[in-house]
Coordinates of all heavy atoms in Angstrom, one line a residue:
S963 N 0.8 -1.2 0.0 CA 0.0 0.0 0.0 C 0.9 1.3 0.0 O 0.4 2.3 -0.5 CB -1.0 0.0 1.2 OG -0.3 0.1 2.4
V964 N 2.1 1.2 0.5 CA 3.0 2.3 0.5 C 3.3 2.8 -0.9 O 3.2 3.9 -1.2 CB 4.3 2.0 1.3 CG1 5.3 3.1 1.2 CG2 4.0 1.8 2.8
N965 N 3.6 1.8 -1.7 CA 3.9 2.1 -3.1 C 2.7 2.7 -3.8 O 2.9 3.6 -4.7 CB 4.5 0.9 -3.9 CG 5.9 0.6 -3.5 OD1 6.7 1.5 -3.1 ND2 6.3 -0.7 -3.6
H966 N 1.6 2.1 -3.6 CA 0.3 2.6 -4.2 C 0.1 4.1 -3.8 O -0.2 4.9 -4.7 CB -0.8 1.8 -3.8 CG -2.2 2.3 -4.3 ND1 -2.5 2.3 -5.6 CD2 -3.2 2.9 -3.6 CE1 -3.7 2.9 -5.7 NE2 -4.2 3.2 -4.5
L967 N 0.2 4.4 -2.5 CA 0.0 5.8 -2.1 C 1.1 6.7 -2.6 O 0.8 7.9 -3.0 CB -0.1 5.8 -0.6 CG -1.3 5.1 0.0 CD1 -1.2 5.0 1.6 CD2 -2.6 5.7 -0.4
A968 N 2.3 6.3 -2.7 CA 3.4 7.1 -3.2 C 3.1 7.4 -4.7 O 3.4 8.5 -5.2 CB 4.7 6.4 -3.0
K969 N 2.6 6.4 -5.4 CA 2.3 6.5 -6.8 C 1.2 7.6 -7.0 O 1.3 8.5 -7.9 CB 1.9 5.2 -7.5 CG 1.6 5.3 -9.0 CD 1.3 3.9 -9.5 CE 1.0 4.1 -11.0 NZ 0.6 2.8 -11.6
L970 N 0.2 7.5 -6.2 CA -0.9 8.5 -6.3 C -0.3 9.9 -6.0 O -0.7 10.9 -6.6 CB -2.0 8.2 -5.3 CG -2.8 6.9 -5.6 CD1 -3.8 6.6 -4.5 CD2 -3.6 7.1 -6.9
T971 N 0.6 10.0 -5.0 CA 1.2 11.3 -4.7 C 2.0 11.8 -5.8 O 1.8 13.0 -6.2 CB 2.1 11.1 -3.4 OG1 1.3 10.6 -2.4 CG2 2.8 12.4 -3.0
Q972 N 2.7 11.0 -6.5 CA 3.5 11.4 -7.6 C 2.6 11.8 -8.8 O 2.9 12.8 -9.5 CB 4.5 10.3 -8.0 CG 5.6 10.8 -9.0 CD 6.6 9.7 -9.3 OE1 6.2 8.6 -9.6 NE2 7.9 10.1 -9.2
Q973 N 1.6 11.1 -9.0 CA 0.6 11.4 -10.1 C -0.1 12.7 -9.9 O -0.4 13.4 -10.8 CB -0.4 10.3 -10.3 CG 0.1 9.0 -10.9 CD -0.8 7.9 -10.9 OE1 -1.8 7.9 -10.2 NE2 -0.5 6.8 -11.7
A974 N -0.2 13.1 -8.6 CA -0.8 14.3 -8.2 C 0.2 15.5 -8.3 O -0.1 16.6 -8.0 CB -1.4 14.3 -6.8
Q975 N 1.4 15.2 -8.8 CA 2.5 16.1 -9.0 C 2.9 16.7 -7.7 O 3.4 17.9 -7.6 CB 2.1 17.2 -10.0 CG 1.8 16.6 -11.3 CD 1.4 17.6 -12.4 OE1 1.3 18.8 -12.1 NE2 1.3 17.1 -13.6
L976 N 2.9 16.0 -6.6 CA 3.4 16.4 -5.3 C 4.9 16.0 -5.3 O 5.3 15.2 -6.0 CB 2.6 15.8 -4.1 CG 1.2 16.3 -4.1 CD1 0.4 15.5 -3.0 CD2 1.1 17.8 -3.9
D977 N 5.6 16.6 -4.4 CA 7.1 16.5 -4.3 C 7.5 15.2 -3.6 O 8.7 14.8 -3.7 CB 7.7 17.7 -3.7 CG 7.6 18.9 -4.6 OD1 7.5 18.8 -5.8 OD2 7.5 20.0 -4.1
G978 N 6.7 14.6 -2.8 CA 7.1 13.5 -2.0 C 6.1 13.0 -1.0 O 4.9 13.4 -1.0
V979 N 6.5 12.2 0.0 CA 5.6 11.6 0.9 C 6.3 11.6 2.3 O 7.5 11.8 2.5 CB 5.3 10.1 0.6 CG1 4.6 10.0 -0.7 CG2 6.6 9.3 0.5
V980 N 5.4 11.5 3.3 CA 5.8 11.2 4.7 C 5.7 9.7 4.8 O 4.7 9.1 4.5 CB 4.9 11.9 5.7 CG1 5.3 11.4 7.1 CG2 4.9 13.4 5.6
C981 N 6.8 9.0 5.2 CA 6.9 7.6 5.3 C 7.8 7.1 6.5 O 8.5 7.9 7.0 CB 7.3 7.0 4.0 SG 9.0 7.4 3.6
S982 N 7.7 5.9 6.8 CA 8.6 5.3 7.7 C 10.0 5.4 7.2 O 10.3 5.2 6.0 CB 8.2 3.8 8.0 OG 9.3 3.1 8.5
P983 N 11.0 5.5 8.1 CA 12.4 5.5 7.6 C 12.8 4.2 7.0 O 13.7 4.1 6.2 CB 13.2 5.9 8.8 CG 12.3 5.6 10.0 CD 10.9 5.8 9.5
L984 N 12.0 3.2 7.3 CA 12.3 1.8 6.8 C 11.8 1.7 5.4 O 12.2 0.7 4.7 CB 11.7 0.8 7.7 CG 12.0 0.9 9.2 CD1 11.3 -0.2 10.0 CD2 13.5 0.7 9.4
E985 N 10.9 2.6 4.9 CA 10.4 2.5 3.6 C 11.0 3.5 2.6 O 10.8 3.4 1.4 CB 8.9 2.8 3.6 CG 8.1 1.7 4.4 CD 6.8 2.2 5.0 OE1 6.5 3.4 5.0 OE2 6.0 1.3 5.3
A986 N 11.8 4.4 3.1 CA 12.4 5.4 2.2 C 13.2 4.8 1.1 O 13.1 5.3 0.0 CB 13.2 6.4 3.1
K987 N 14.0 3.9 1.4 CA 14.9 3.3 0.3 C 14.1 2.7 -0.8 O 14.4 3.0 -2.0 CB 15.8 2.2 0.9 CG 16.8 1.7 0.0 CD 17.8 0.7 0.6 CE 18.8 0.2 -0.3 NZ 19.7 -0.7 0.3
A988 N 13.1 2.0 -0.5 CA 12.2 1.4 -1.6 C 11.5 2.5 -2.4 O 11.4 2.3 -3.6 CB 11.2 0.4 -1.0
I989 N 11.1 3.5 -1.7 CA 10.4 4.6 -2.4 C 11.3 5.3 -3.3 O 11.0 5.6 -4.5 CB 9.7 5.6 -1.4 CG1 8.5 4.9 -0.7 CG2 9.4 6.9 -2.0 CD1 7.9 5.6 0.4
K990 N 12.6 5.5 -2.9 CA 13.6 6.2 -3.7 C 13.9 5.3 -4.9 O 14.0 5.8 -6.1 CB 14.9 6.4 -2.9 CG 14.7 7.5 -1.8 CD 14.6 8.8 -2.5 CE 14.7 9.9 -1.4 NZ 14.6 11.2 -2.0
E991 N 14.0 4.0 -4.7 CA 14.3 3.1 -5.8 C 13.2 3.1 -6.9 O 13.4 3.0 -8.1 CB 14.6 1.7 -5.3 CG 15.9 1.6 -4.6 CD 16.1 0.3 -3.9 OE1 15.1 -0.6 -3.8 OE2 17.2 0.1 -3.3
K992 N 12.0 3.1 -6.4 CA 10.8 3.0 -7.3 C 10.4 4.4 -8.0 O 10.1 4.4 -9.1 CB 9.6 2.5 -6.6 CG 8.4 2.2 -7.5 CD 7.5 1.2 -6.9 CE 6.4 1.0 -7.9 NZ 6.1 -0.3 -8.2
F993 N 10.5 5.5 -7.2 CA 10.0 6.8 -7.7 C 11.1 7.8 -8.0 O 10.8 8.9 -8.4 CB 9.0 7.3 -6.7 CG 7.8 6.4 -6.5 CD1 7.8 5.5 -5.5 CD2 6.8 6.4 -7.5 CE1 6.7 4.7 -5.3 CE2 5.7 5.6 -7.3 CZ 5.7 4.7 -6.3
G994 N 12.4 7.4 -7.7 CA 13.5 8.3 -8.1 C 14.0 9.1 -6.9 O 13.3 9.3 -5.9
E995 N 15.3 9.5 -7.0 CA 16.0 10.2 -5.9 C 15.4 11.6 -5.6 O 15.5 12.1 -4.6 CB 17.5 10.3 -6.2 CG 18.2 9.0 -6.1 CD 18.2 8.4 -4.7 OE1 18.4 9.2 -3.7 OE2 18.1 7.2 -4.5
D996 N 14.7 12.2 -6.6 CA 14.2 13.5 -6.5 C 12.8 13.5 -5.7 O 12.3 14.5 -5.3 CB 14.0 14.2 -7.8 CG 15.3 14.5 -8.5 OD1 16.3 14.6 -7.7 OD2 15.4 14.7 -9.7
F997 N 12.2 12.3 -5.6 CA 10.9 12.2 -4.9 C 11.3 12.2 -3.4 O 11.9 11.3 -2.9 CB 10.2 10.9 -5.3 CG 8.8 10.8 -4.9 CD1 7.9 11.7 -5.5 CD2 8.3 9.9 -4.0 CE1 6.5 11.6 -5.2 CE2 7.0 9.8 -3.7 CZ 6.1 10.6 -4.3
L998 N 10.8 13.2 -2.7 CA 11.2 13.5 -1.3 C 10.6 12.5 -0.3 O 9.4 12.2 -0.5 CB 10.9 14.9 -0.9 CG 11.6 16.0 -1.7 CD1 11.1 17.4 -1.3 CD2 13.1 15.9 -1.6
T999 N 11.3 12.2 0.7 CA 10.8 11.4 1.8 C 11.1 12.2 3.1 O 12.2 12.6 3.4 CB 11.5 10.0 1.9 OG1 12.9 10.2 2.0 CG2 11.1 9.2 0.7
V1000 N 10.0 12.4 3.9 CA 10.0 13.0 5.2 C 9.7 11.9 6.2 O 8.7 11.2 6.1 CB 9.0 14.1 5.3 CG1 9.0 14.7 6.7 CG2 9.3 15.2 4.2
T1001 N 10.6 11.6 7.1 CA 10.4 10.4 8.0 C 10.4 10.8 9.5 O 11.5 11.2 10.0 CB 11.6 9.4 7.6 OG1 12.8 10.1 7.8 CG2 11.5 8.9 6.2
P1002 N 9.3 10.5 10.1 CA 9.2 10.6 11.6 C 9.7 9.2 12.1 O 10.2 8.4 11.4 CB 7.8 10.8 11.9 CG 7.1 10.1 10.7 CD 8.0 10.3 9.5
G1003 N 9.7 9.1 13.4 CA 10.1 7.8 14.0 C 11.6 7.7 14.2 O 12.1 6.6 14.2
I1004 N 12.3 8.8 14.3 CA 13.7 8.7 14.5 C 14.1 8.6 16.0 O 13.6 9.4 16.8 CB 14.4 10.0 13.9 CG1 14.0 10.2 12.4 CG2 15.9 10.0 14.0 CD1 14.4 9.0 11.5
R1005 N 14.9 7.7 16.3 CA 15.3 7.4 17.7 C 16.8 7.2 17.8 O 17.4 6.7 16.8 CB 14.5 6.2 18.2 CG 13.0 6.2 18.2 CD 12.5 7.3 19.1 NE 11.0 7.3 19.1 CZ 10.3 8.2 18.5 NH1 10.8 9.1 17.7 NH2 9.0 8.2 18.6
L1006 N 17.4 7.5 18.9 CA 18.8 7.3 19.0 C 19.1 5.8 19.2 O 20.2 5.3 18.9 CB 19.4 8.1 20.2 CG 19.6 9.6 19.9 CD1 19.9 10.4 21.1 CD2 20.7 9.7 18.8
T1007 N 18.2 5.1 19.8 CA 18.3 3.6 20.0 C 17.0 2.9 19.6 O 15.9 3.5 19.8 CB 18.7 3.2 21.4 OG1 17.7 3.7 22.3 CG2 20.0 3.8 21.8
K1008 N 17.1 1.7 19.1 CA 15.9 1.0 18.7 C 15.2 0.5 19.9 O 15.8 0.3 21.0 CB 16.4 -0.3 17.9 CG 16.9 0.1 16.5 CD 16.1 -0.6 15.5 CE 16.6 -0.1 14.1 NZ 15.6 -0.3 13.1
G1009 N 13.9 0.4 19.8 CA 13.1 0.0 20.9 C 12.9 0.9 22.1 O 12.7 0.6 23.2
Q1010 N 13.2 2.2 21.8 CA 13.2 3.2 22.8 C 11.8 3.6 23.3 O 11.7 4.1 24.4 CB 13.9 4.5 22.3 CG 14.2 5.6 23.3 CD 15.0 6.7 22.7 OE1 15.5 6.6 21.6 NE2 15.1 7.7 23.4
D1011 N 10.7 3.4 22.5 CA 9.4 3.7 23.0 C 8.4 2.8 22.3 O 8.7 1.7 21.9 CB 9.1 5.2 22.7 CG 9.2 5.6 21.3 OD1 8.8 4.8 20.4 OD2 9.8 6.7 21.0
D1012 N 7.1 3.3 22.2 CA 6.0 2.6 21.7 C 6.0 2.4 20.2 O 5.2 1.6 19.7 CB 4.7 3.2 22.2 CG 4.5 4.6 21.7 OD1 5.5 5.2 21.3 OD2 3.3 5.0 21.7
Q1013 N 6.7 3.1 19.4 CA 6.7 3.0 18.0 C 7.5 1.8 17.5 O 8.6 1.5 18.0 CB 7.2 4.2 17.3 CG 6.3 5.4 17.5 CD 6.7 6.6 16.7 OE1 7.4 6.5 15.7 NE2 6.2 7.8 17.0
K1014 N 7.0 1.1 16.4 CA 7.7 -0.1 15.9 C 8.5 0.2 14.7 O 9.5 -0.4 14.4 CB 6.7 -1.2 15.6 CG 6.0 -1.8 16.8 CD 5.1 -2.9 16.4 CE 4.4 -3.4 17.6 NZ 3.5 -4.5 17.3
R1015 N 8.1 1.2 13.8 CA 8.8 1.4 12.6 C 9.7 2.6 12.7 O 9.5 3.7 12.2 CB 7.8 1.6 11.5 CG 6.9 0.4 11.4 CD 6.1 0.3 10.1 NE 6.8 0.4 8.9 CZ 7.6 -0.5 8.3 NH1 7.9 -1.6 8.9 NH2 8.2 -0.3 7.2
T1016 N 10.8 2.4 13.5 CA 11.7 3.5 13.8 C 13.1 3.2 13.2 O 13.3 2.0 12.8 CB 11.8 3.7 15.3 OG1 12.4 2.6 15.9 CG2 10.5 4.1 15.9
A1017 N 13.9 4.2 13.2 CA 15.3 4.0 12.8 C 16.1 5.1 13.5 O 15.6 6.1 13.9 CB 15.4 4.2 11.3
T1018 N 17.4 4.8 13.5 CA 18.3 5.8 14.1 C 18.6 6.8 13.0 O 18.3 6.6 11.8 CB 19.7 5.2 14.5 OG1 20.3 4.7 13.3 CG2 19.5 4.1 15.5
P1019 N 19.1 8.0 13.3 CA 19.4 9.0 12.3 C 20.4 8.4 11.3 O 20.3 8.7 10.1 CB 20.0 10.2 13.1 CG 19.5 10.0 14.5 CD 19.3 8.5 14.7
Y1020 N 21.3 7.7 11.7 CA 22.3 7.1 10.8 C 21.6 6.1 9.8 O 21.9 6.2 8.6 CB 23.3 6.3 11.7 CG 24.3 5.5 10.9 CD1 25.4 6.1 10.3 CD2 24.2 4.1 10.8 CE1 26.4 5.4 9.6 CE2 25.1 3.4 10.1 CZ 26.2 4.0 9.5 OH 27.1 3.3 8.8
E1021 N 20.8 5.3 10.3 CA 20.0 4.3 9.4 C 19.1 5.1 8.5 O 19.1 4.7 7.3 CB 19.2 3.4 10.3 CG 20.0 2.4 11.1 CD 19.1 1.7 12.1 OE1 18.1 2.2 12.6 OE2 19.6 0.6 12.5
A1022 N 18.5 6.1 8.9 CA 17.6 6.9 8.1 C 18.4 7.6 6.9 O 18.0 7.6 5.8 CB 16.9 8.0 8.9
A1023 N 19.6 8.1 7.2 CA 20.4 8.7 6.2 C 20.8 7.6 5.2 O 20.8 7.9 4.0 CB 21.7 9.3 6.8
L1024 N 21.3 6.5 5.6 CA 21.7 5.4 4.7 C 20.5 4.9 3.9 O 20.7 4.5 2.7 CB 22.3 4.2 5.5 CG 23.6 4.4 6.1 CD1 24.1 3.2 6.8 CD2 24.7 4.9 5.2
N1025 N 19.3 5.0 4.4 CA 18.1 4.6 3.6 C 17.6 5.6 2.6 O 16.7 5.4 1.9 CB 16.9 4.2 4.6 CG 17.1 2.9 5.2 OD1 17.9 2.1 4.8 ND2 16.4 2.7 6.3
G1026 N 18.3 6.8 2.6 CA 17.9 7.8 1.7 C 16.9 8.8 2.1 O 16.4 9.6 1.3
C1027 N 16.6 8.9 3.4 CA 15.6 9.9 3.9 C 16.1 11.3 3.6 O 17.3 11.5 3.8 CB 15.4 9.7 5.4 SG 14.7 8.1 5.8
D1028 N 15.3 12.1 3.1 CA 15.7 13.5 2.8 C 15.6 14.4 4.1 O 16.4 15.3 4.3 CB 14.8 14.1 1.7 CG 15.0 13.3 0.4 OD1 16.1 13.4 -0.1 OD2 14.1 12.7 -0.1
Y1029 N 14.5 14.2 4.8 CA 14.3 15.0 6.0 C 13.8 14.0 7.2 O 13.0 13.1 6.9 CB 13.2 16.0 5.8 CG 13.5 17.0 4.7 CD1 13.0 16.8 3.4 CD2 14.3 18.1 5.0 CE1 13.4 17.7 2.4 CE2 14.6 19.0 4.0 CZ 14.1 18.8 2.7 OH 14.5 19.7 1.7
I1030 N 14.3 14.3 8.3 CA 13.9 13.5 9.5 C 13.1 14.4 10.4 O 13.4 15.6 10.5 CB 15.1 12.8 10.2 CG1 16.1 13.8 10.7 CG2 15.7 11.7 9.3 CD1 17.2 13.2 11.5
V1031 N 12.2 13.7 11.1 CA 11.3 14.4 12.1 C 11.7 13.8 13.5 O 11.5 12.6 13.6 CB 9.8 14.3 11.8 CG1 9.0 14.9 12.9 CG2 9.5 14.8 10.4
V1032 N 12.1 14.6 14.4 CA 12.5 14.1 15.7 C 11.8 14.9 16.7 O 11.8 16.2 16.8 CB 14.0 14.3 15.9 CG1 14.4 13.7 17.2 CG2 14.8 13.7 14.8
G1033 N 11.0 14.2 17.6 CA 10.3 14.9 18.7 C 10.7 14.5 20.0 O 11.6 15.1 20.6
R1034 N 10.1 13.4 20.5 CA 10.4 12.9 21.9 C 11.8 12.7 22.3 O 12.2 13.0 23.4 CB 9.6 11.7 22.2 CG 8.1 12.0 22.4 CD 7.3 10.7 22.6 NE 7.0 10.2 21.3 CZ 6.3 9.1 21.1 NH1 6.0 8.3 22.1 NH2 6.0 8.7 19.9
P1035 N 12.7 12.2 21.4 CA 14.1 12.0 21.8 C 14.8 13.3 22.2 O 15.7 13.2 22.9 CB 14.7 11.4 20.5 CG 13.6 10.7 19.8 CD 12.4 11.5 20.0
I1036 N 14.3 14.4 21.7 CA 14.8 15.7 22.1 C 14.0 16.3 23.2 O 14.5 16.7 24.3 CB 14.9 16.7 20.9 CG1 15.9 16.1 19.9 CG2 15.3 18.1 21.4 CD1 15.9 16.9 18.6
T1037 N 12.7 16.4 23.1 CA 11.8 17.1 24.1 C 11.8 16.3 25.4 O 11.6 17.0 26.4 CB 10.4 17.2 23.5 OG1 9.8 16.0 23.3 CG2 10.4 18.1 22.3
Q1038 N 12.0 15.0 25.4 CA 12.0 14.3 26.7 C 13.3 13.9 27.2 O 13.5 13.2 28.2 CB 11.1 13.0 26.5 CG 9.6 13.4 26.2 CD 8.8 12.1 26.1 OE1 9.2 11.0 26.1 NE2 7.5 12.3 25.9
A1039 N 14.4 14.4 26.5 CA 15.7 14.1 27.0 C 16.1 14.9 28.2 O 15.6 16.0 28.4 CB 16.7 14.4 25.8
E1040 N 16.9 14.3 29.0 CA 17.4 15.0 30.2 C 18.2 16.3 29.8 O 18.1 17.3 30.4 CB 18.4 14.1 31.0 CG 18.2 14.2 32.5 CD 19.0 13.1 33.2 OE1 18.4 12.0 33.3 OE2 20.1 13.4 33.6
D1041 N 19.0 16.1 28.7 CA 19.7 17.3 28.1 C 19.3 17.4 26.6 O 20.0 16.8 25.8 CB 21.2 17.0 28.3 CG 22.1 18.2 27.8 OD1 21.6 19.1 27.1 OD2 23.3 18.1 28.1
P1042 N 18.3 18.2 26.3 CA 17.9 18.3 24.9 C 18.9 18.7 23.9 O 19.0 18.3 22.8 CB 16.7 19.3 25.0 CG 16.2 19.3 26.4 CD 17.5 19.0 27.2
V1043 N 19.8 19.6 24.4 CA 20.9 20.1 23.5 C 21.8 19.0 23.1 O 22.2 18.8 22.0 CB 21.6 21.3 24.1 CG1 22.8 21.7 23.2 CG2 20.7 22.5 24.2
A1044 N 22.2 18.2 24.1 CA 23.1 17.0 23.9 C 22.4 16.0 23.0 O 23.0 15.4 22.1 CB 23.5 16.4 25.2
A1045 N 21.1 15.8 23.2 CA 20.3 14.8 22.4 C 20.3 15.3 20.9 O 20.5 14.5 20.0 CB 18.9 14.7 22.9
Y1046 N 20.0 16.6 20.7 CA 20.0 17.2 19.4 C 21.4 17.0 18.7 O 21.5 16.6 17.5 CB 19.7 18.7 19.4 CG 20.0 19.4 18.1 CD1 19.2 19.2 17.0 CD2 21.1 20.1 18.0 CE1 19.5 19.9 15.8 CE2 21.5 20.8 16.8 CZ 20.6 20.6 15.7 OH 20.9 21.2 14.5
Q1047 N 22.5 17.3 19.4 CA 23.8 17.2 18.9 C 24.1 15.7 18.5 O 24.8 15.5 17.5 CB 24.8 17.7 19.9 CG 24.7 19.3 20.0 CD 25.5 19.8 21.1 OE1 25.9 19.2 22.0 NE2 25.8 21.1 21.0
A1048 N 23.7 14.8 19.3 CA 23.9 13.4 19.0 C 23.2 12.9 17.8 O 23.7 12.2 16.9 CB 23.5 12.5 20.2
I1049 N 21.9 13.4 17.7 CA 21.1 13.1 16.5 C 21.8 13.7 15.2 O 21.9 13.0 14.2 CB 19.7 13.6 16.7 CG1 19.0 12.7 17.7 CG2 18.9 13.6 15.4 CD1 17.7 13.2 18.3
K1050 N 22.2 14.9 15.3 CA 22.8 15.6 14.2 C 24.1 14.9 13.8 O 24.3 14.7 12.6 CB 23.1 17.1 14.6 CG 23.7 17.9 13.5 CD 24.0 19.3 13.9 CE 24.7 20.1 12.9 NZ 25.1 21.4 13.4
A1051 N 24.9 14.5 14.7 CA 26.2 13.8 14.4 C 25.9 12.5 13.7 O 26.6 12.1 12.7 CB 27.0 13.6 15.7
E1052 N 24.9 11.7 14.2 CA 24.6 10.4 13.6 C 24.1 10.6 12.2 O 24.4 9.9 11.2 CB 23.5 9.7 14.4 CG 24.1 8.7 15.4 CD 23.1 7.7 15.8 OE1 22.4 7.1 14.9 OE2 23.0 7.4 16.9
W1053 N 23.2 11.6 12.0 CA 22.6 12.0 10.7 C 23.8 12.3 9.7 O 23.8 11.8 8.6 CB 21.6 13.1 10.8 CG 21.1 13.7 9.6 CD1 21.3 14.9 9.0 CD2 20.1 13.0 8.7 NE1 20.6 15.1 7.9 CE2 19.9 14.0 7.6 CE3 19.5 11.8 8.7 CZ2 19.0 13.7 6.6 CZ3 18.6 11.5 7.6 CH2 18.4 12.5 6.6
Q1054 N 24.7 13.2 10.1 CA 25.8 13.6 9.2 C 26.7 12.4 8.9 O 27.2 12.3 7.8 CB 26.5 14.8 9.9 CG 25.7 16.0 9.9 CD 26.3 17.2 10.6 OE1 27.1 17.0 11.5 NE2 26.0 18.4 10.2
K1055 N 26.9 11.6 9.9 CA 27.8 10.4 9.6 C 27.1 9.5 8.6 O 27.8 9.0 7.7 CB 28.0 9.6 10.9 CG 28.8 8.3 10.8 CD 28.9 7.6 12.1 CE 29.6 6.2 11.9 NZ 29.5 5.4 13.0
G1056 N 25.8 9.3 8.7 CA 25.1 8.5 7.7 C 25.1 9.1 6.3 O 25.3 8.4 5.3
L1057 N 24.9 10.4 6.3 CA 25.0 11.1 5.0 C 26.4 11.0 4.3 O 26.5 10.8 3.1 CB 24.6 12.6 5.1 CG 23.1 12.9 5.5 CD1 23.0 14.4 5.7 CD2 22.2 12.4 4.4
A1058 N 27.4 11.1 5.1 CA 28.8 11.0 4.6 C 29.0 9.6 4.1 O 29.6 9.4 3.0 CB 29.8 11.4 5.7
E1059 N 28.6 8.6 4.8 CA 28.8 7.2 4.3 C 28.0 6.9 3.1 O 28.4 6.2 2.2 CB 28.4 6.2 5.4 CG 29.6 6.0 6.4 CD 29.3 4.8 7.3 OE1 28.8 3.7 6.8 OE2 29.7 4.9 8.4
K1060 N 26.8 7.4 3.0 CA 25.9 7.2 1.8 C 26.5 7.8 0.6 O 26.5 7.3 -0.5 CB 24.5 7.8 2.1 CG 23.6 7.5 0.9 CD 22.2 7.8 1.2 CE 21.1 7.6 0.2 NZ 21.5 7.1 -1.1
A1061 N 27.2 9.0 0.8 CA 27.8 9.7 -0.3 C 28.9 8.8 -1.0 O 29.3 9.0 -2.1 CB 28.4 11.0 0.1
L1062 N 29.5 7.9 -0.2 CA 30.6 7.0 -0.7 C 30.1 6.0 -1.7 O 30.8 5.4 -2.4 CB 31.3 6.4 0.5 CG 32.0 7.3 1.4 CD1 32.6 6.5 2.6 CD2 33.1 8.1 0.7
F1063 N 28.8 5.7 -1.6 CA 28.2 4.6 -2.5 C 28.0 5.1 -3.9 O 27.5 5.8 -4.4 CB 26.9 4.1 -1.9 CG 27.1 3.4 -0.6 CD1 26.5 4.0 0.6 CD2 27.8 2.2 -0.5 CE1 26.6 3.4 1.8 CE2 27.9 1.6 0.8 CZ 27.3 2.2 1.9

C-alpha cells in the first residue's frame, strides 16, 4: 500500500511523501531520488518507545531519507541540546557514508 499511495502522490504532482524511515529506500528506488521522503520515528536507539517502525538518524540517512522528524528523543531528553547534537552527528555520519556509495 505504501507504493500505491506514493504513486498517487507522484501522479498528483506532489514532491514526496511522509513515510517510515524503513520504507524510504524502496520509495527512492521506485520513484526516483528526487521524490522526497520525510520520515518521523527517528530514535537514538531501537526499541526506545512505543513505535515499531523506527530507525536511528544514521540508518535513516543510509536509507535515503531526505528529512527526518525528531520529537520525543529531544523534548523528553534530560539534556535536549546534547540529544540534538547526538542526532545531528549520527545523521551527518550516515549522509557521509551514503555519499561514498
Side-chain angles (χ1 to χ4, degrees):
S963 67
V964 171
N965 284 333
H966 173 71
L967 294 172
K969 182 178 179 180
L970 291 175
T971 301
Q972 193 174 50
Q973 288 173 344
Q975 299 180 355
L976 297 173
D977 293 329
V979 294
V980 175
C981 65
S982 157
L984 306 178
E985 296 158 342
K987 184 175 183 179
I989 288 173
K990 292 288 189 177
E991 289 171 355
K992 185 160 181 127
F993 299 98
E995 288 296 319
D996 291 337
F997 195 65
L998 299 175
T999 55
V1000 178
T1001 55
I1004 303 301
R1005 304 291 184 259
L1006 282 170
T1007 58
K1008 290 236 178 204
Q1010 189 173 350
D1011 59 39
D1012 62 338
Q1013 292 189 17
K1014 292 184 181 183
R1015 302 195 52 72
T1016 64
T1018 65
Y1020 175 78
E1021 293 166 333
L1024 291 181
N1025 283 341
C1027 298
D1028 295 297
Y1029 300 96
I1030 58 175
V1031 178
V1032 185
R1034 286 179 274 178
I1036 294 173
T1037 62
Q1038 294 180 357
E1040 219 172 277
D1041 184 347
V1043 173
Y1046 165 78
Q1047 290 171 339
I1049 289 164
K1050 181 179 173 185
E1052 267 203 43
W1053 174 250
Q1054 290 175 332
K1055 179 182 173 190
L1057 290 176
E1059 276 192 40
K1060 186 172 181 350
L1062 297 176
F1063 296 113

